[in-house]
Amino acid sequence: MVPGSHAETAGIRVPDFPGSSSPGGGRYRLRVHYDSELRNRVDRILDATPVEDIHTHLYDPSFRSLMLWGLDEQLVYHYLVSEAFRHSDQPYDRFWSASRAEQAEFVWNGLFVEHSPLSEACRGVLTTLHALGLDPRQRDLRSLRQWFANQDPGQFTDRVLGIANVATVGMTNSPFDPAERPYWEGALARDPRFFAALRIDPLLMSWPEAGLQISNDGYGVRLDLDSGTLDGVRRFLGDWTRRIGSRYCMVSLPPGFQWPGNTPTAQLITGAVLPHCRDTGQPFAMMMGVKRAVNPSLRLAGDGMGRSDLTALENLCAAHPENRFLVTCLSRECQHELVVLARKFRNLHPFGCWWFTNTDQLISEITTLRLELLGTSFTAQHSDSRVVDQLIYKWGHSRRVLGRCLTARYEALRSSGWVVSDDEIRRDAEELLGGAFRGFCRS
Ligand code: HDL
Ligand code: ZN
């Protein structure tokens, strides 16, 4: 029994086998202590470990109108919109033509007043309000809104980053987004806590339309993907990488993505994106398994998922050992295969519990899978936040699940005679919450 712990001992009886050596001879008994003292140490260290949030849809405050924050924005988060429609026969268009405040009330009434807010995204709103010192039990949206109305966006952002202990935020920056592009063409007083990531879905998923835009930008690309066009795309990627100071480039891919292949997606990856990443020394991030617009009436909330064929990933990692791949999968069924591929290819770095896998149960399952097969050579989570406030709950919830998973591994180590120090727990936490990513990016 570890001194000072309130451990129940759950012995796992191990059948005697010849040659099993154990203290004092006789039956070797694997004894796993469940120890709240260790769990408290792990949680305390995780809370004190600043996070590098490597993928979000947040913008630094200098992007003004693009930065989303506040209760109404939390409530109209697309995760909650799709959940709210499950309790309503209201025509979709009536919701989309309503004001932000009316949309927020629709969600609030449907998911928080008329039903218990049991989902992860619902609980997230409550965790965030609670951490900000607000009490939602009055069910009084008006008074809650009044509090947010009195906040300054910049100070609010500082407060949220402090509560969530998030040191850096990876943005999603698309040169194909007409709302964002003007900010990059003007003068920006960047917030150093927010780093850029070049998002290239239109390039890879909507050729030749994207080719037309790149051609209009003066890169001399043609619609067929000959060497001149691929060189023009590389120059486009290089110029935007320098312009925004991007740390990696990213794409989300449908379940049917194949590589190698003669699709524009496969040809552009081979002939432009991977050479660009080698030129810049940057990883290529692939988010695999999204089915866009499964229900178009739900707009951003209408995307679905499917199981990806990770043979494409295996082929990419094997054919391009000099490229590095950051990968997350949307399908629960892909997680084990992704981890096994990461054991085979050191140029593959799994990250996060993306979107529909971002639930306590699946974060726990995926994180345990990764710890038990990869140690700490992965990035445990990214928040995918769209509203600044969400950093509080996305990281609060994920730290607790990570704490549970890590504690279980340390308890298993102790039962095998290995006791970790606080410094070692701190080192592991730093790796899992951004250090492994920085090492993988060589940055
Ligand atoms: O493609 C992506 O980056 C996804 O994260 C989508 O933006 C999705 O809408 C989302 O926000 N998931 O969390
Ligand atoms: Zn995202």
Side-chain angles (χ1 to χ4, degrees):
M1 181 78 108
V2 176
S5 71
H6 309 288
E8 322 95 50
T9 299
I12 301 168
R13 297 190 71 74
V14 179
D16 259 349
F17 49 87
S20 70
S21 64
S22 62
R27 178 177 289 281
Y28 175 67
R29 198 173 155 76
L30 192 67
R31 300 169 64 83
V32 180
H33 294 274
Y34 295 96
D35 179 347
S36 58
E37 185 270 339
L38 175 58
R39 175 67 194 271
N40 291 337
R41 283 168 57 204
V42 172
D43 279 347
R44 192 174 61 247
I45 290 170
L46 283 173
D47 287 343
T49 302
V51 154
E52 179 136 33
D53 194 345
I54 72 170
H55 170 61
T56 77
H57 298 271
L58 299 178
Y59 290 92
D60 92 41
S62 64
F63 284 79
R64 292 193 302 278
S65 63
L66 296 185
M67 175 193 145
L68 301 179
W69 67 284
L71 183 54
D72 282 357
E73 291 299 345
Q74 288 186 56
L75 290 172
V76 299
Y77 184 37
H78 68 76
Y79 290 30
L80 294 173
V81 169
S82 54
E83 290 172 29
F85 267 109
R86 293 192 51 69
H87 300 294
S88 167
D89 294 330
Q90 179 186 132
Y92 293 117
D93 288 344
R94 191 189 311 163
F95 176 83
W96 296 119
S97 59
S99 69
R100 212 76 170 144
E102 289 163 338
Q103 291 175 349
E105 278 147 31
F106 170 80
V107 172
W108 177 257
N109 292 329
L111 296 182
F112 293 82
V113 177
E114 294 155 13
H115 298 87
S116 295
L118 293 173
S119 75
E120 167 61 15
C122 282
R123 176 177 164 238
V125 174
L126 303 179
T127 299
T128 300
L129 294 175
H130 190 249
L132 291 168
L134 299 168
D135 179 358
R137 277 174 304 176
Q138 311 127 317
R139 302 327 186 246
D140 174 5
L141 193 51
R142 195 189 49 73
S143 67
L144 291 169
R145 273 177 170 148
Q146 191 51 53
W147 183 88
F148 283 91
N150 298 332
Q151 305 306 308
D152 165 79
Q155 291 168 13
F156 182 76
T157 298
D158 295 343
R159 184 172 178 192
V160 168
L161 288 171
I163 293 171
N165 199 3
V166 170
T168 53
V169 174
M171 298 189 284
T172 296
N173 306 107
S174 170
F176 301 96
D177 178 352
E180 176 181 351
R181 199 175 156 123
Y183 285 98
W184 293 114
E185 287 160 346
L188 267 177
R190 295 282 302 280
D191 181 327
R193 296 169 298 182
F194 290 73
F195 72 81
L198 187 63
R199 185 62 178 261
I200 57 174
D201 289 38
L203 169 67
L204 295 184
M205 301 310 299
S206 307
W207 192 272
E209 295 76 5
L212 222 50
Q213 176 164 347
I214 294 174
S215 173
N216 292 339
D217 285 349
Y219 287 91
V221 305
R222 291 151 25 90
L223 301 193
D224 58 319
L225 293 167
D226 57 25
S227 60
T229 292
L230 292 171
D231 286 345
V233 171
R234 282 175 69 173
R235 285 196 305 279
F236 170 83
L237 293 171
D239 290 348
W240 273 96
T241 294
R242 280 183 293 279
R243 178 173 295 132
I244 70 176
S246 166
R247 279 178 80 180
Y248 61 80
C249 67
M250 170 184 273
V251 68
S252 66
L253 293 165
F257 168 65
Q258 296 288 327
W259 191 94
N262 57 10
T263 61
T265 305
Q267 292 177 60
L268 284 159
I269 286 174
T270 308
V273 176
L274 293 185
H276 160 72
C277 290
R278 292 195 293 270
D279 292 346
T280 55
Q282 295 194 343
F284 179 37
M286 298 189 290
M287 304 176 87
M288 303 179 78
V290 58
K291 271 188 197 170
R292 295 295 178 189
V294 164
N295 178 354
S297 303
L298 279 172
R299 298 187 184 178
L300 189 61
D303 295 332
M305 55 163 282
R307 175 170 182 172
S308 297
D309 176 357
L310 295 193
T311 309
L313 177 60
E314 177 184 328
N315 294 338
L316 277 166
C317 292
H320 294 286
E322 71 288 3
N323 279 96
R324 294 193 296 280
F325 299 94
L326 287 167
V327 175
T328 196
C329 290
L330 197 45
S331 165
R332 176 192 193 187
E333 287 70 21
C334 289
Q335 303 303 331
H336 185 238
E337 194 177 345
L338 174 60
V339 170
V340 171
L341 278 177
R343 288 170 61 90
K344 304 304 141 194
F345 296 106
R346 62 184 172 188
N347 59 331
L348 169 57
H349 185 89
F351 75 92
C353 300
W354 182 28
W355 202 343
F356 305 115
T357 65
N358 192 36
T359 64
D360 279 8
Q361 181 231 345
L362 289 180
I363 295 170
S364 181
E365 179 181 293
I366 293 167
T367 304
T368 300
L369 192 66
R370 289 169 175 175
L371 288 171
E372 295 185 356
L373 285 169
L374 300 176
T376 54
S377 63
F378 65 95
T379 296
Q381 186 59 292
H382 70 280
S383 75
D384 235 312
S385 296
R386 286 179 172 270
V387 184
V388 172
D389 325 22
Q390 293 173 337
L391 289 170
I392 291 175
Y393 93 80
K394 298 249 188 183
W395 286 106
H397 294 182
S398 290
R399 277 192 172 97
R400 287 297 72 82
V401 179
L402 178 57
R404 196 166 65 231
C405 298
L406 262 180
T407 303
R409 296 312 300 154
Y410 293 140
E411 284 166 344
L413 288 180
R414 179 160 58 199
S415 66
S416 301
W418 181 277
V419 178
V420 284
S421 67
D422 278 10
D423 283 346
E424 288 167 330
I425 297 171
R426 194 167 296 111
R427 175 200 59 196
D428 298 345
E430 286 165 3
E431 267 220 88
L432 292 166
L433 295 177
F437 166 75
R438 287 188 295 276
F440 188 70
C441 294
R442 314 288 195 276
S443 64

